[in-house]
Amino acid sequence: MTIVFVTPVYPPYRAGMAHVAYEEAVHLASRGHAVHVVTLSKHRSVVQDEHGVTIHRLRAELAFGNAGWAFEWWRWLREVPVDVVHLHAPFFGVQEQMVLSFPKEIPLVMSYHMDLVAHGFVKRVAAISRAAFLPRLLKRADRVIVASRDYAQSSWLYPHWELIEKKLAEIPFGVDLTRFCPSSRLPLTSTQPLRILFVGALDRAHYFKGLPELLRALEGLREHEWRLTIVGDGDWRARYEALCRELYVSDRVTFAGRVQSDALPAMYAQAGMFVLPSVDRSEAFGLVALEAQASGVPVIVSDLPGVRTVIDPGKTGLLAKPGDVASLRESLETLLGDAPRRQAMGRAARAHAERYSWDVHVDMLEQMYHSEPLEVRG
């Protein structure tokens, strides 16, 4: 089968959508499928072969952020025999092109990752696309994939529920249970400060990760022995470092920067707690919370649609109100002061994470590709 993934981001860019597209593409290629990935480049077009996947980084005629228009890929699509095109959305610019001129004879699968709760120009673009193009794109898609119905039923998809319900597929994301595992955890002594871990991009596009709320919550817990490690980088790092100085917590916070993929399991191994304090529905699932649980680490996540489905509240971690510093501080204090509970949650977290794997995720994808009404030719 020839499968074409169309995605706004792909490694080496680091983001949840990029990671999902990568795992799907590489796993499907390893199963003998011919897999192509189409994404945009702000420079010249280039074709690469990595891990059995052919990556087409096409020059965008008009680019804004990770979105844009690219006419070159339409010419390419009509020249290559394709069994199914799988769009990772939102992908502003390209998804509007699909509505206007996508070939009717090619099956289209759409993974809807999240609503774009943005600001300024991007917010205006998203509003126009939502009103004028999203209904038509959903109508054109043969299948619509979501990571959780919980998120979908509170998202921009819900007003179109009657249109998509029969072609909706819930396929949760996966986690590499071999890379992220409790056996790699380091022994922690009661005399060590508790290591709290945050993993997320520190750029404008990921404003919703909630790092300021986490820092302010921890600032009120000076009586506890804790250290925070922040994995990630971006153009907002300097403002977060300035906030640490303002709150007088710089001596307890380490900015680790970007960490290579093969080094990330060790970061989880050093953690006694993981926090995903996202503030709005731009966070729709939380792959990093799955990685932490697979590593046997208890987690605190925001009580957001989709995100809350990743944990078993009270057993593998705790929920905090999105954007509420007091609520987050209460959850942090609960776990900081109860080592036996953290240990029990860590054991339960691994068992919970074992329900998720990329192999199961891709099994479900393959079954869907071969189901009606796709009528895949391969």
Side-chain angles (χ1 to χ4, degrees):
M1 181 188 301
T2 300
I3 304 163
V4 177
F5 286 98
V6 181
T7 174
V9 287
Y10 196 77
Y13 186 89
R14 293 192 176 186
M17 189 187 297
H19 183 64
V20 171
Y22 170 83
E23 292 288 352
E24 290 177 347
V26 170
H27 276 77
L28 286 165
S30 72
R31 298 184 182 195
H33 300 289
V35 180
H36 298 260
V37 171
V38 175
T39 190
L40 297 184
S41 169
K42 295 179 181 178
H43 307 290
R44 64 184 179 87
S45 297
V46 62
V47 179
Q48 304 164 313
D49 289 299
E50 297 178 3
H51 308 293
V53 177
T54 304
I55 306 164
H56 306 260
R57 301 185 188 273
L58 304 182
R59 185 181 67 85
E61 280 80 9
L62 174 64
F64 47 98
N66 294 322
W69 291 77
F71 297 100
E72 182 180 350
W73 93 279
W74 292 110
R75 295 190 293 272
W76 173 84
L77 185 63
R78 295 180 184 279
E79 296 171 358
V80 177
V82 175
D83 291 305
V84 61
V85 169
H86 188 150
L87 168 68
H88 285 271
F91 190 172
F92 297 116
V94 167
Q95 67 188 34
E96 284 72 32
Q97 286 181 280
M98 286 185 158
V99 168
L100 296 173
S101 58
F102 189 78
K104 294 181 179 180
E105 66 275 12
I106 299 178
L108 175 63
V109 171
M110 172 184 173
S111 284
Y112 188 84
H113 285 257
M114 61 189 178
D115 298 341
L116 188 61
V117 186
H119 305 281
F121 173 72
V122 175
K123 182 177 181 178
R124 292 193 292 272
V125 170
I128 294 170
S129 178
R130 176 186 178 186
F133 291 97
L134 181 59
R136 296 166 66 184
L137 183 62
L138 293 172
K139 184 177 181 179
R140 171 60 184 86
D142 297 285
R143 282 282 189 270
V144 178
I145 300 173
V146 294
S148 76
R149 282 181 175 264
D150 179 48
Y151 184 81
Q153 290 176 330
S154 68
S155 74
W156 294 349
L157 296 180
Y158 192 66
H160 313 286
W161 202 254
E162 289 186 5
L163 174 64
I164 67 171
E165 187 172 15
K166 291 184 179 179
K167 54 185 176 183
L168 190 72
E170 182 182 37
I171 305 181
F173 300 140
V175 62
D176 189 330
L177 295 168
T178 302
R179 286 184 63 225
F180 301 100
C181 60
S183 63
S184 64
R185 286 185 59 72
L186 302 177
L188 302 176
T189 69
S190 59
T191 59
Q192 291 177 307
L194 185 74
R195 180 68 63 182
I196 301 170
L197 182 64
F198 170 94
V199 178
L202 309 184
D203 57 12
R204 182 185 301 271
H206 293 84
Y207 73 90
F208 56 86
K209 290 295 182 179
L211 184 54
E213 286 73 16
L214 175 57
L215 293 171
R216 291 189 172 96
L218 286 169
E219 185 268 340
L221 297 172
R222 296 179 184 275
E223 69 276 16
H224 294 277
E225 287 296 321
W226 56 265
R227 297 293 185 272
L228 173 65
T229 299
I230 298 170
V231 174
D233 212 342
D235 55 11
W236 278 15
R237 173 171 170 169
R239 70 167 59 185
Y240 295 139
E241 290 174 330
L243 180 59
C244 287
R245 293 190 294 271
E246 178 185 326
L247 297 174
Y248 298 100
V249 296
S250 295
D251 59 330
R252 296 194 183 200
V253 178
T254 299
F255 285 83
R258 287 189 176 90
V259 172
Q260 294 298 317
S261 178
D262 57 0
L264 189 56
M267 305 301 291
Y268 287 108
Q270 297 169 19
M273 186 195 312
F274 177 85
V275 187
L276 180 63
S278 308
V279 298
D280 68 37
R281 291 182 304 104
S282 291
E283 190 76 74
F285 191 75
L287 285 168
V288 287
L290 263 186
E291 292 172 351
Q293 290 175 98
S295 303
V297 180
V299 298
I300 296 173
V301 304
S302 294
D303 189 4
L304 287 164
V307 178
R308 60 193 174 208
T309 67
V310 176
I311 76 166
D312 188 347
K315 294 184 178 180
T316 70
L318 300 176
L319 296 173
K321 295 178 182 178
D324 188 321
V325 171
S327 174
L328 181 57
R329 183 178 295 148
E330 181 180 354
S331 294
L332 286 163
E333 188 166 26
T334 296
L335 293 189
L336 280 168
D338 195 339
R341 188 176 186 186
R342 290 198 308 270
Q343 293 166 0
M345 281 186 166
R347 291 189 294 270
R350 172 63 189 190
H352 177 73
E354 287 175 353
R355 298 165 46 195
Y356 301 84
S357 79
W358 286 115
D359 284 331
V360 171
H361 177 92
V362 174
D363 285 345
M364 296 174 73
L365 271 188
E366 283 189 307
Q367 292 171 14
M368 187 199 59
Y369 288 156
H370 285 291
S371 69
E372 298 289 343
L374 288 183
E375 299 177 353
V376 172
R377 298 186 297 275

